[in-house]
Amino acid sequence: MAGGLEPHLEALRRELHGPAVLSVLIALIAVAITFLIWRFVQGRRSSRKAVLLLGLCDAGKTLLFARLLSGRYRDTQTSITDSSAVYRVSRDKSTNVTLIDLPGHESLRLQFLERFKAAARAIVFVVDSVAFQREVKDVAEFLYQVLVDSTVLRNAPALLIACNKQDVTMAKSAKLIQQQLEKELNTLRVTRSAAPTSLDGSATGVPAQLGKKGKDFDFSQLPMKVEFVECSARGSKGEEGEADLEGLEKWLVKVA
């Protein structure tokens, strides 16, 4: 009996060591590794639940923060610390994120960004559309510092440029703001890349490269997805009216 089975067992052993089986095993291992990497990336992303509200002073971050949470208007003042709250992105499901409003003052903003950047699933960079022409260089400087940050580059959180105060007649459009920011960021990139080098030829204090070398900068070159939206935290009817945050709210649903 055993002797009769031996030829079959030997044939099975040869099959198991054949090239076809080896190919299958390699494919299974590749699938397993891909799955583990995917789980790791998803785990890191799911651990990042914060949406950071950034921007210069008086851009309207704090009023926007309050409107998203309560829907009501409130008087605000320049923030000197962060404010955070859980925001439910949709009424028909339990998905939520943590909104964090960070100070926009020049002496504080990078300090607070450093504290919260690792937890950022997404960033809302709020721009004052009325004062933009006057503040464009300062806006671009702060945005540049955010975009070349090593943690931000590595995690690549979704980025929304929220062009606020669209209820005011003199507000600049999102398209114009995008064009001007790309131009200013390109200028900053050229300036920073010309930083002096040390005696051994290495660059001193040079941040990561923004965009693609040899090409004028545009937001599509970044590792994260960048979108622009026009909004108004105050609303067209002032304190008594509804805020115009529809585009921002839809974006938050997507990134949650």
Side-chain angles (χ1 to χ4, degrees), residues 6-22:
E6 188 61 35
H8 299 288
L9 293 173
E10 182 61 31
L12 181 60
R13 278 194 289 269
R14 286 198 299 271
E15 285 293 327
L16 289 175
H17 287 85
V21 174
L22 184 61

Side-chain angles (χ1 to χ4, degrees), residues 1-240:
M1 183 78 177
L5 288 175
E6 188 61 35
H8 299 288
L9 293 173
E10 182 61 31
L12 181 60
R13 278 194 289 269
R14 286 198 299 271
E15 285 293 327
L16 289 175
H17 287 85
V21 174
L22 184 61
S23 298
V24 171
L25 288 174
I26 292 173
L28 288 173
I29 292 170
V31 170
I33 292 173
T34 302
F35 177 74
L36 289 173
I37 293 173
W38 178 82
R39 285 293 299 271
F40 175 73
V41 171
Q42 288 297 110
R44 287 187 60 188
R45 184 177 184 274
S46 62
S47 68
R48 293 186 277 119
K49 297 287 288 183
V51 175
L52 308 184
L53 302 182
L54 308 179
L56 304 187
C57 287
D58 301 321
K61 300 185 304 300
T62 303
L63 179 56
L64 190 150
F65 175 78
R67 285 284 207 178
L68 285 171
L69 294 173
S70 69
R72 294 190 295 272
Y73 178 90
R74 80 174 192 193
D75 290 324
T76 62
Q77 57 186 8
T78 301
S79 304
I80 59 172
T81 188
D82 61 282
S83 298
S84 63
V86 174
Y87 171 73
R88 181 169 293 179
V89 299
S90 179
R91 294 176 183 174
D92 60 355
K93 61 180 181 178
S94 59
T95 305
N96 57 64
V97 294
T98 301
L99 291 179
I100 307 179
D101 174 27
L102 302 185
H105 193 279
E106 186 176 3
S107 64
L108 297 173
R109 58 197 184 206
L110 292 181
Q111 169 189 334
F112 279 88
L113 175 63
E114 183 68 25
R115 185 183 303 177
F116 293 105
K117 63 186 181 183
R121 174 183 291 256
I123 294 173
V124 178
F125 193 95
V126 185
V127 174
D128 183 337
S129 303
V130 180
F132 177 73
Q133 208 67 50
R134 183 176 69 252
E135 298 179 342
V136 59
K137 292 187 182 298
D138 292 333
V139 172
E141 174 70 29
F142 184 21
L143 185 56
Y144 179 89
Q145 291 171 320
V146 174
L147 295 177
V148 298
D149 182 274
S150 59
T151 301
V152 173
L153 285 172
R154 182 174 63 253
N155 292 341
L159 174 63
L160 182 74
I161 310 295
C163 305
N164 193 25
K165 304 187 183 182
Q166 289 291 319
D167 55 294
V168 181
T169 306
M170 299 300 292
K172 301 299 183 290
S173 69
K175 184 176 181 179
L176 184 144
I177 289 172
Q178 178 176 349
Q179 292 171 343
Q180 290 295 313
L181 280 178
E182 287 177 339
K183 181 179 178 181
E184 288 295 331
L185 288 168
N186 190 63
T187 300
L188 277 171
R189 179 179 66 171
V190 172
T191 304
R192 299 301 170 84
S193 65
T197 56
S198 62
L199 293 176
D200 62 1
S202 61
T204 57
V206 180
Q209 174 69 35
L210 184 69
K212 295 182 179 179
K213 191 174 182 179
K215 291 186 176 181
D216 287 342
F217 172 79
D218 67 67
F219 285 102
S220 67
Q221 299 168 4
L222 295 173
M224 69 282 287
K225 184 174 182 180
V226 183
E227 297 181 54
F228 283 72
V229 68
E230 295 180 354
C231 62
S232 174
R234 184 178 178 87
S236 59
K237 296 182 180 179
E239 299 179 15
E240 302 301 322

